[in-house]
Amino acid sequence: DQQVKQNSPSLSVQEGRISILNCDYTNSMFDYFLWYKKYPAEGPTFLISISSIKDKNEDGRFTVFLNKSAKHLSLHIVPSQPGDSAVYFCAASFFGNEKLTFGTGTRLTIIP
Amino acid sequence: DAGITQSPRHKVTETGTPVTLRCHQTENHRYMYWYRQDPGHGLRLIHYSYGVKDTDKGEVSDGYSVSRSKTEDFLLTLESATSSQTSVYFCAISVGTSGTETQYFGPGTRLLVL
């Protein structure tokens, strides 16, 4: 049972445009969400997070939106740059769990 | 940089042989994790540790064991490697308060079982 789903395995976006990566979850206990970025031959790196008490969190070019009623979160990257080409994972957790549940990832390719 | 190193970084082994992967951290974090990453599956938790000698299973623990005799080291052992255990293995540590932790990952170990 995949509790965190990233239904788009890949996404291509023109440089300078907005990239939108989506993530859905099924477990209503999840109340903390994270996005990770992964380059080939490297470990995942933390990008941005959001708590369920918020519906938006922004950090520079990266914004995460959370829609609790739809159990959906999205990561917006504006403007997209070639260095953003990577695999992006969303992850979810809840208080007392001490573990993260990851989605399967979306490969983002930025076209120059 | 969360001060996490993994060794070896690459390993080729044969089916049926034991393999041990090491994760080392320098910052005394309580929680440590082992994941495997496979195409189409994302990151899946194998085992985790919440202190010295305190470990628990993740979602894909069959065929793996772990040990943590010191805070800084978390070992993952494949008792008898199989081809299905060919994967990239990542170690992670957790930082933050319960419910808002962030995990930071090591560089990974690429394991090929022939």
Side-chain angles (χ1 to χ4, degrees), chain A residues 52-68:
Chain A
S52 60
I53 61 173
K54 295 184 175 182
D55 53 18
K56 175 183 173 182
N57 190 26
E58 194 170 350
D59 183 1
R61 297 186 297 115
F62 302 91
T63 303
V64 56
F65 295 92
L66 176 62
N67 182 334
K68 291 183 286 293

Side-chain angles (χ1 to χ4, degrees), chain B residues 69-81:
Chain B
S69 58
K70 298 185 292 184
T71 300
E72 58 265 35
D73 289 326
F74 192 30
L75 304 181
L76 176 70
T77 297
L78 290 65
E79 303 290 348
S80 177

Side-chain angles (χ1 to χ4, degrees), chain A residues 8-101:
Chain A
S8 298
S10 63
L11 175 68
S12 294
V13 174
Q14 207 78 32
E15 181 179 358
R17 306 294 288 268
I18 183 172
S19 295
I20 300 176
L21 296 97
N22 294 303
C23 180
D24 298 295
Y25 61 96
T26 57
N27 189 341
S28 56
M29 291 185 66
F30 289 143
D31 57 11
Y32 187 62
F33 304 89
L34 309 92
W35 283 95
Y36 284 83
K37 175 179 181 179
K38 187 185 178 306
Y39 292 122
E42 295 183 11
T45 56
F46 169 69
L47 201 53
I48 192 169
S49 62
I50 187 167
S51 167
S52 60
I53 61 173
K54 295 184 175 182
D55 53 18
K56 175 183 173 182
N57 190 26
E58 194 170 350
D59 183 1
R61 297 186 297 115
F62 302 91
T63 303
V64 56
F65 295 92
L66 176 62
N67 182 334
K68 291 183 286 293
S69 60
K71 294 191 177 70
H72 176 83
L73 63 154
S74 61
L75 175 69
H76 293 212
I77 306 173
V78 183
S80 299
Q81 299 174 353
D84 295 329
S85 293
V87 176
Y88 290 79
F89 293 99
C90 66
S93 181
F94 55 87
F95 181 80
N97 187 31
E98 314 296 357
K99 294 181 285 186
L100 295 179
T101 301

